[in-house]
Amino acid sequence: MTDTDDNARHAAKMAKKKAARDKIMATKTDEKGLVIVHTGKGKGKSSAAFGMIFRCIAADMQCAVVQFIKGGMECGERDLINEKFSDTCAFYTMGEGFTWETQNKERDIEMAQAAWEKAKELIRDEANRMVLLDEINIALRYDYIDINEVVTFLQTEKPPLTHVVLTGRNAKEKLIEVADLVTEMELIKHPFRSGVKAQRGVEY
């Protein structure tokens, strides 16, 4: 077979694939605000979510971030958004650190519930096309926030075109059931297990 024959066969194969793909895409006409969950033990849940936030910023779409659990620790995304894009993306860090750091359950619950109140306010505002609830799954896991309230709110009060992204390990089954898109990050290898600490540009 000559290179010309091989190229012709490839072109015909790709043309057939494109026609099939175009036929499928022609049926995808709906637009809706999605409930998106990033969970699992692997790294990349918040990183992927912030990738979508930066897409919104690039498209000049109003968006917002509420960080649960995380407190005064460094966060490159927060610093960049607050410095350069605060007119497009409101950013609220409303935790005080992971539970093993605060060692104060009552305070953790108080902060998580305050963060949830802020989250509801931002989601109700139809100007926000995407709202990221970073690490909310951790607060839900420890029952700092009622999962039934969160699910009911997303089903009944979220504006039709608003995307809500929820991150963190151990997403509750009730949340997964109502979500439109769920991704589980699988851990295969992690440098932490080899004694490597969290590093700027990778973890924060």
Side-chain angles (χ1 to χ4, degrees), residues 1 3-17:
M1 180 183 296
D3 287 346
T4 300
D5 291 337
D6 187 50
N7 288 337
R9 178 173 293 185
H10 176 77
K13 182 179 179 181
M14 292 301 106
K16 185 177 180 180
K17 182 175 286 190

Side-chain angles (χ1 to χ4, degrees), residues 24-197:
I24 293 171
M25 294 303 291
T27 67
K28 312 301 182 186
T29 57
D30 293 345
E31 182 177 1
K32 63 172 290 191
L34 303 176
V35 174
I36 301 170
V37 176
H38 291 169
T39 192
K41 295 181 179 179
K43 175 177 163 44
K45 298 176 287 294
S46 294
S47 300
F50 275 109
M52 288 190 288
I53 286 291
F54 281 111
R55 283 177 181 164
C56 287
I57 291 171
D60 200 27
M61 294 167 59
Q62 199 72 31
C63 53
V65 177
V66 179
Q67 284 191 315
F68 292 71
I69 307 299
K70 294 176 180 175
M73 63 190 74
E74 290 188 69
C75 176
E77 300 94 336
R78 178 180 63 223
D79 294 345
L80 178 61
I81 289 171
N82 283 338
E83 182 179 347
K84 301 289 187 181
F85 306 112
S86 60
D87 57 335
T88 305
C89 184
F91 204 117
Y92 298 89
T93 298
M94 303 191 66
E96 295 181 332
F98 291 101
T99 52
W100 59 83
E101 294 173 337
T102 61
Q103 300 174 18
N104 186 333
K105 184 176 181 179
E106 288 186 5
R107 181 64 175 167
D108 290 342
I109 293 172
E110 179 184 336
M111 296 298 290
Q113 292 182 350
W116 173 235
E117 290 303 314
K118 174 57 69 173
K120 289 191 289 184
E121 173 190 328
L122 294 166
I123 293 168
R124 287 186 181 114
D125 183 354
E126 295 188 23
N128 290 318
R129 292 298 309 279
M130 178 178 286
V131 180
L132 166 56
L133 309 183
D134 191 33
E135 301 288 6
I136 189 175
N137 288 338
I138 306 299
L140 289 168
R141 177 189 182 188
Y142 291 113
D143 297 319
Y144 294 169
I145 309 168
D146 182 0
I147 183 61
N148 294 310
E149 179 185 347
V150 172
V151 167
T152 299
F153 178 85
L154 293 174
Q155 290 179 312
T156 62
E157 294 196 50
K158 182 184 77 63
L161 294 179
T162 300
H163 306 299
V164 179
V165 187
L166 308 95
T167 73
R169 293 187 179 198
N170 303 112
K172 295 218 171 185
E173 191 60 36
K174 288 183 178 180
L175 179 60
I176 290 173
E177 287 175 2
V178 301
D180 299 287
L181 173 60
V182 180
T183 300
E184 182 173 7
M185 308 295 185
E186 181 181 357
L187 176 62
I188 297 175
K189 293 179 70 175
H190 197 295
F192 185 77
R193 292 179 172 178
S194 301
V196 180
K197 67 179 182 178

